[in-house]
């Protein structure tokens, strides 16, 4: 029997920090497919949106 975890949501007047969702895949792909960004992240840039979906699923698990 699994325990459902609730991801906290932090909200300010200028910022919302929430759990990544599948609908965020395209925006995450834009970030994680940028070579300059990934140089600091320590891995190769993503090549397709489905890879961003996999990243989201990994974090969700």
């Amino acid at each position: 029997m699994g325990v459902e975890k609730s991801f906290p949501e932090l909200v300010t007047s200028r910022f919302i920090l929430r759990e990544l969702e599948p609908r965020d895949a395209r925006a995450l792909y834009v970030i994680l497919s940028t070579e300059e960004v990934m140089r600091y992240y320590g891995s190769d840039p993503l090549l397709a949106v489905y890879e961003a979906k996999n990243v989201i699923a990994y974090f969700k698990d």
Side-chain angles (χ1 to χ4, degrees):
M1 189 190 297
V3 175
E4 185 68 28
K5 295 182 242 172
S6 176
F7 192 91
E9 188 171 285
L10 304 173
V11 180
T12 71
S13 61
R14 299 182 324 158
F15 186 76
I16 298 173
L17 180 63
R18 61 170 174 75
E19 183 174 23
L20 286 171
E21 299 176 359
R23 66 184 174 143
D24 301 316
R26 186 164 302 281
L28 185 62
Y29 168 74
V30 169
I31 296 166
L32 298 182
S33 65
T34 305
E35 217 170 292
E36 185 177 352
V37 170
M38 295 310 284
R39 178 171 50 153
Y40 300 103
Y41 194 72
S43 61
D44 294 329
L46 300 186
L47 301 175
V49 174
Y50 81 86
E51 292 176 301
K53 290 179 183 177
N54 291 343
V55 169
I56 292 169
Y58 173 79
F59 285 135
K60 191 158 190 82
D61 285 341

